[in-house]
Amino acid sequence: MVMGAPLEDARHLAQRYDRMRQEAEAQAIEVSKRQMKLREASGNSDMVARLEATELKLQELKSNMGVLAKEAVAAMTAVEAQQQRLTLQRLIALVESERNYHQKVLQILDQLEREMVSERQRIEGAPPPVVESSMPPPPAYEEVNGIFMRNTVAELVETVEYFLAEAIQSYRAESDTELNLSAGDYIVVRKVSNNGWAEGECRGKAGWFPYDYIEKRERVLASKVAQGF
């Protein structure tokens, strides 16, 4: 809001104009009264002179009111223009502040996006993590005249008597040296290593498989015998 001399000057002019207007209204009433008295007592030169003086004063007041009104209007217009300038300046400052704020937010978002893209590229470019097997690989061996011989050190495999076992869950071979199993298959187990693997034969094929996937059986169901295991 406009403060200081311009506003005080405009208020002072407005107050002067209001007092002068009230004085002119009172003077106009006085002129009317004197005109009525003059009509009642016609030819009274003293009353005529007073009426003329009253009318002259009324004309002066009206003239002064016109001048003062122009000054008051000019002062109020100046105050209004100044107020508009101040309002515009405040709006410009507010817009500038909002623009700076959003620019800072945009910079933060751009920085965050760059960091996220960099992190994604780092993750995508990194070599896949090495997943350690929960179980060591089976001992290596080779088939010689239908007999599987051990290539690992002697302590990895314990020689046991052949026994019959049933697969309690399926197993998918991951190499040529391993044996596929389906739940319910019967296997002739020929070796059991101390690292959790067993070697045997099922359905005419031989290979290694996890020992925990089988259970020892004392006999074979007749349906399995018919199927040849």
Side-chain angles (χ1 to χ4, degrees):
M1 183 175 179
V2 178
M3 301 296 290
L7 181 61
E8 291 299 323
D9 291 344
R11 288 176 176 174
H12 180 66
L13 288 172
Q15 291 172 356
R16 284 180 57 193
Y17 177 82
D18 186 60
R19 289 196 297 269
M20 190 173 293
R21 179 183 58 79
Q22 293 176 0
E23 185 177 355
E25 290 176 353
Q27 189 69 18
I29 294 173
E30 182 66 20
V31 168
S32 298
K33 290 180 179 179
R34 291 184 182 276
Q35 288 175 347
M36 291 177 63
K37 289 181 179 179
L38 182 60
R39 284 195 296 268
E40 293 175 355
S42 58
N44 190 327
S45 58
D46 184 50
M47 293 183 66
V48 171
R50 290 180 181 180
L51 176 60
E52 291 177 350
T54 305
E55 289 176 343
L56 180 61
K57 185 176 181 180
L58 178 60
Q59 292 297 326
E60 291 178 356
L61 287 173
K62 288 182 178 180
S63 178
N64 292 335
M65 282 179 60
V67 174
L68 190 59
K70 291 180 180 179
E71 293 179 358
V73 169
M76 293 303 296
T77 301
V79 170
E80 184 178 0
Q82 186 176 358
Q83 179 65 51
Q84 290 178 351
R85 288 193 297 271
L86 290 176
T87 302
L88 181 60
Q89 290 175 358
R90 290 182 179 180
L91 288 175
I92 292 174
L94 179 61
V95 171
E96 184 69 18
S97 176
E98 287 293 320
R99 187 175 67 86
N100 293 335
Y101 169 77
H102 288 292
Q103 285 181 342
K104 291 181 179 179
V105 172
L106 183 60
Q107 292 175 356
I108 294 173
L109 291 176
D110 289 341
Q111 178 65 25
L112 180 61
E113 182 183 12
R114 288 193 294 269
E115 293 177 357
M116 292 175 66
V117 170
S118 177
E119 180 67 13
R120 184 183 65 183
Q121 293 175 346
R122 185 188 68 81
I123 294 175
E124 292 177 350
V130 179
V131 179
E132 296 183 357
S133 175
S134 59
M135 188 173 186
Y141 64 90
E142 60 183 0
E143 185 177 5
V144 180
N145 296 326
I147 301 177
F148 291 87
M149 303 298 293
R150 292 171 296 160
N151 290 331
T152 56
V153 292
E155 63 270 14
L156 286 179
V157 178
E158 298 177 356
T159 303
V160 297
E161 295 182 359
Y162 286 26
F163 63 88
L164 186 64
E166 181 182 357
I168 57 176
Q169 56 180 312
S170 300
Y171 175 72
R172 181 181 295 276
E174 297 181 358
S175 68
D176 295 338
T177 63
E178 298 178 16
L179 181 63
N180 284 317
L181 296 178
S182 298
D185 285 349
Y186 279 83
I187 309 100
V188 176
V189 181
R190 301 186 294 196
K191 296 183 181 72
V192 177
S193 71
N194 56 10
N195 65 351
W197 289 85
E199 188 273 327
E201 184 176 352
C202 178
R203 300 181 183 274
K205 296 182 180 180
W208 292 93
F209 50 87
Y211 183 72
D212 291 340
Y213 280 52
I214 63 171
E215 286 185 356
K216 190 174 182 181
R217 294 286 185 265
E218 297 296 333
R219 61 180 181 175
V220 183
L221 295 175
S223 59
K224 293 296 181 179
V225 173
Q227 296 174 1
F229 293 172

